[in-house]
Amino acid sequence: MTGDTQITAEDLRGLAARALAGNGMSEEDSARVADVLVLADLFGIRTHGVARIPQYLDRARLGGVDLHAKVAVDQVAPALSRVDGANGIGPLVGSHALDAALASARATGLGAAFVRGSNHFGPVMPYLFRAAEQGFAAIIASNATTTIAPWGGREARLGNNPLGIGVPTPGGDPVLLDIAMSVAARAKIRAAAAAEESIPDTWATDRDGKPTTDPAAALDGFLQPLGGHKGYGLSVMVDLFAGVLSGAGYLTRISSWSVDPERPQNLGHVFFLIDASKLVPGAELASRMDDFAGILHTTPPADPTQPVRLPGEFELARYHRQLRDGVPVDDGVLARLSEFAGAVR
């Protein structure tokens, strides 16, 4: 059994970057990827943080990801870019796409980047946060490997597509929403199976498309979309933007990195950014955001121990605390990263 070790965000960022560079990525590209993944850990999204680096590198060794990919940005209109990830590591591709959308939004007030040729790009929240830090509201989404059946179907055709929305608060924390399209993640179902516990019948279906409380049957079946047919529809629309319009793969045209790790996934992402200062001057926006938050925070709670919170508030509190006190990282993950980092010549 391994435990956790506290490490400063700066040290973790440096270790993650050296681990990637030790396997052939350039220093600039390694730093970009490390920034996204360490932010994920700071927010407490550990399943999508630096623990992913060994998986990314394993896929690279099999030829499924190109560590030397040169991400290409083609600005097709003043506010619109097409980004070809060239099968690079997802957070590297996402970082370039964010920069492209930011550049357009600075120039025109609105910026959009449509991405193809990418891979798993981590959680959406780090990109939302980096945009909000610079005063930009954002809508960011990606498609994903198929794990959800269409509403009324009994075969996986849709991904658990992540969608994020962020709004900045000048001088304060932004409001950040980062969700995926399923009621519950497969990780929760796997945990229930390991603990030999049942699950709510709203989480997943068996292979015949029937709701189940048996986690084993659920793992052999499909995730349930949040909100039933509404979540199904939202997942479809995310894939139309992130997959079809970007030129990336979509639906069953996306390769599974767990089933075929040697094959490029050709995932698609989409980034929409808005320069909030063009709509509301900074001081006024800060005042309006504070008033907005106050109205929600002063809602009488149904449970006095559970006050009403804004989306992303727990993650941002964890970010500030771990930035101050250090980030807990699994000892096994640290050992692997140190091993990779030791390969730097």
Side-chain angles (χ1 to χ4, degrees):
M1 296 277 302
T2 60
D4 289 342
T5 295
Q6 298 281 123
I7 180 171
T8 68
E10 181 180 359
D11 287 346
L12 183 58
R13 194 174 290 110
L15 177 61
R18 291 194 302 276
L20 292 162
N23 281 266
M25 286 193 80
S26 70
E27 289 188 5
E28 178 185 349
D29 289 352
S30 297
R32 281 181 177 267
V33 175
D35 181 63
V36 173
L37 298 180
V38 172
L39 272 174
D41 279 310
L42 281 166
F43 292 130
I45 314 172
R46 297 177 63 175
T47 55
H48 289 48
V50 297
R52 288 280 182 167
I53 289 176
Q55 295 175 326
Y56 291 156
L57 295 178
D58 285 344
R59 283 198 66 214
R61 281 190 287 274
L62 293 171
V65 172
D66 184 1
L67 296 178
H68 308 286
K70 300 300 181 185
V71 180
V73 178
D74 179 18
Q75 189 165 358
V76 297
L80 181 62
S81 294
R82 183 188 297 119
V83 179
D84 188 339
N87 197 36
I89 285 184
L92 171 66
V93 181
S95 174
H96 280 284
L98 177 64
D99 283 352
L102 281 168
S104 293
R106 286 193 184 95
T108 69
L110 292 168
F114 286 75
V115 185
R116 65 187 178 194
S118 189
N119 290 281
H120 181 273
F121 77 159
V124 177
M125 192 166 284
Y127 305 105
L128 297 174
F129 183 72
R130 287 297 187 223
E133 280 186 315
Q134 300 173 65
F136 293 85
I139 301 173
I140 300 171
S142 175
N143 57 16
T145 303
T146 55
T147 54
I148 295 176
W151 188 246
R154 58 185 183 91
E155 187 173 288
R157 297 293 175 94
L158 287 161
N160 192 13
N161 301 333
L163 170 66
I165 304 174
V167 178
T169 300
D173 282 338
V175 178
L176 306 176
L177 174 70
D178 182 353
I179 61 172
M181 296 298 122
S182 67
V183 175
R186 285 181 67 84
K188 289 187 176 181
I189 299 174
R190 284 193 291 267
E196 298 183 346
E197 297 173 348
S198 63
I199 60 173
D201 64 3
T202 56
W203 283 14
T205 68
D206 60 21
R207 64 167 60 189
D208 294 320
K210 305 300 183 184
T212 182
T213 60
D214 179 357
L219 290 171
D220 196 35
F222 320 106
L223 296 176
Q224 292 264 47
L226 60 86
H229 68 282
K230 296 179 182 179
Y232 159 63
L234 191 56
S235 186
V236 166
M237 300 313 295
V238 166
D239 209 347
L240 285 170
F241 274 80
V244 173
L245 292 180
S246 70
Y250 48 83
L251 302 178
T252 57
R253 309 299 184 199
I254 294 171
S255 175
S256 168
W257 84 334
S258 59
V259 176
D260 298 304
E262 75 285 354
R263 292 179 57 191
Q265 285 189 282
N266 193 20
L267 287 181
H269 320 310
V270 61
F271 292 70
F272 294 109
L273 268 66
I274 302 162
D275 184 348
S277 68
K278 296 286 197 297
L279 295 170
V280 187
E284 182 183 350
L285 179 58
S287 176
R288 291 176 64 82
M289 290 296 288
D290 287 345
D291 180 58
F292 187 99
I295 292 171
L296 294 178
H297 283 152
T298 57
T299 305
D303 179 349
T305 66
Q306 299 292 329
V308 173
R309 301 294 186 192
L310 289 162
E313 196 164 344
F314 283 113
E315 290 84 355
L316 286 162
R318 190 179 291 116
Y319 166 84
H320 291 299
R321 183 173 66 253
Q322 294 188 160
L323 199 61
R324 181 189 67 234
D325 300 334
V327 187
V329 183
D330 180 85
D331 289 338
V333 171
L334 281 178
R336 292 292 305 278
L337 294 180
S338 297
E339 177 186 344
F340 290 138
V344 177
R345 290 182 288 274

